[in-house]
Amino acid sequence: MPLNERDRIEILMMIGVGDRMRTQQEVCRLFHEMHPDREPVSQSTVSRIERKYRELGHVRDAPRQGRPKINENVQQDVILSALENPHCTVRQVSRDLNIGKSSVSNIFKKVKYHPYRVRLIHELAEDDFDRRTEFCEYMMDHNNQNNGFIANILFSDEATFFLNGHVNRQNTRYWSQENPHWMQEYHTQHPQKVNVWAGIVRNRIVGPYFFDENLTGALNV
């Protein structure tokens, strides 16, 4: 068990002063007699405590090494950075304020700021809403007429990977205490891209298939 400050002061008192000083061996024996249930101290420990007191005038523990605590002014600067630019990154705030990235993250966590991702939605034309209603009615009618109708439908989806710096949800955030429901419309047809298509029918996965051109044709499965 390590010695605390009170133990060190007790050892100093056992050493004594002037012509009533004890040897290190005597101090070790006396400390063990007074604390038989504790691990005995060594002569080198007694020597270090005595030397520290003579050099520093105290036997307190040295301050712990590490980064200094972030003061309130720095915390306010971090929060203001997010308020002025909700799309800022931890790396950007860390660089601008010259503090560690972990400190920035801890401050955001402390004030309950969360990096919400952008939600990408398809751009809709005026008649798209009516088409969606018509499609739902069509599906409901056919399903009522044929119970196996849904099982024979090939459900598919595609993902477009842009090669020219288009919005990437993995790298885009919005710092806020509440979800801002941030959305951005995007065009599905865009130059410099790779399209990936996959589908599922019954219990079978179809694909994935990769295309350089637009996915406007039909696939035979």
Side-chain angles (χ1 to χ4, degrees):
M1 179 177 180
L3 299 176
N4 55 36
E5 185 178 355
R6 183 175 180 178
D7 295 332
R8 301 187 193 109
I9 294 176
E10 184 178 359
I11 290 176
L12 284 176
M13 295 175 64
M14 291 178 181
I15 293 175
V17 294
D19 55 354
R20 297 184 179 181
M21 293 182 63
R22 294 185 176 91
T23 64
Q24 296 175 0
Q25 185 176 4
E26 291 172 337
V27 172
C28 293
R29 183 172 62 251
L30 180 59
F31 186 87
H32 180 59
E33 291 175 355
M34 295 184 64
H35 306 282
D37 56 333
R38 298 183 57 179
E39 183 179 352
V41 296
S42 63
Q43 296 185 36
S44 59
T45 299
V46 175
S47 177
R48 286 197 301 271
I49 293 174
E50 182 180 8
R51 183 172 62 253
K52 182 175 183 178
Y53 179 77
R54 294 183 184 280
E55 294 176 353
L56 303 178
H58 64 81
V59 290
R60 296 189 298 271
D61 290 324
R64 293 184 178 181
Q65 299 296 325
R67 294 181 177 177
K69 293 184 177 180
I70 304 298
N71 58 46
E72 294 184 0
N73 291 334
V74 175
Q75 295 185 30
Q76 292 178 359
D77 290 340
V78 172
I79 297 173
L80 286 175
S81 297
L83 291 175
E84 294 174 355
N85 180 16
H87 308 302
C88 64
T89 63
V90 171
R91 185 185 300 274
Q92 180 181 350
V93 176
S94 171
R95 182 180 62 251
D96 294 342
L97 300 181
N98 194 27
I99 59 177
K101 291 187 293 184
S102 60
S103 298
V104 176
S105 297
N106 290 335
I107 292 174
F108 280 145
K109 184 177 180 180
K110 181 179 179 181
V111 298
K112 298 182 179 180
Y113 266 45
H114 182 78
Y116 292 96
R117 294 182 181 179
V118 59
R119 180 185 175 189
L120 301 180
I121 60 175
H122 289 277
E123 183 180 23
L124 298 178
E126 291 185 10
D127 57 345
D128 285 339
F129 299 95
D130 293 335
R131 289 181 180 178
R132 288 185 172 187
T133 302
E134 293 174 0
F135 176 78
C136 292
E137 294 174 349
Y138 171 86
M139 293 294 293
M140 292 174 63
D141 291 340
H142 278 68
N143 190 58
N144 292 332
Q145 297 174 13
N146 182 1
N147 291 332
F149 176 71
I150 299 295
N152 294 320
I153 296 178
L154 171 65
F155 293 92
S156 65
D157 197 6
E158 66 180 74
T160 302
F161 294 86
F162 296 92
L163 308 179
N164 60 349
H166 197 74
V167 173
N168 184 344
R169 293 199 308 157
Q170 299 298 326
N171 299 328
T172 308
R173 298 291 186 272
Y174 190 112
W175 288 96
S176 177
Q177 291 176 312
E178 298 179 359
N179 190 342
H181 301 290
W182 176 33
M183 302 180 186
Q184 178 175 335
E185 292 185 349
Y186 73 100
H187 299 276
T188 56
Q189 307 303 328
H190 202 281
Q192 293 184 313
K193 64 185 178 182
V194 174
N195 296 290
V196 182
W197 182 96
I200 182 171
V201 58
R202 296 182 181 273
N203 295 323
R204 186 163 66 96
I205 296 177
V206 182
Y209 296 101
F210 300 87
F211 303 89
D212 293 329
E213 66 278 4
N214 298 333
L215 299 181
T216 56
L219 287 176
N220 296 321
V221 296

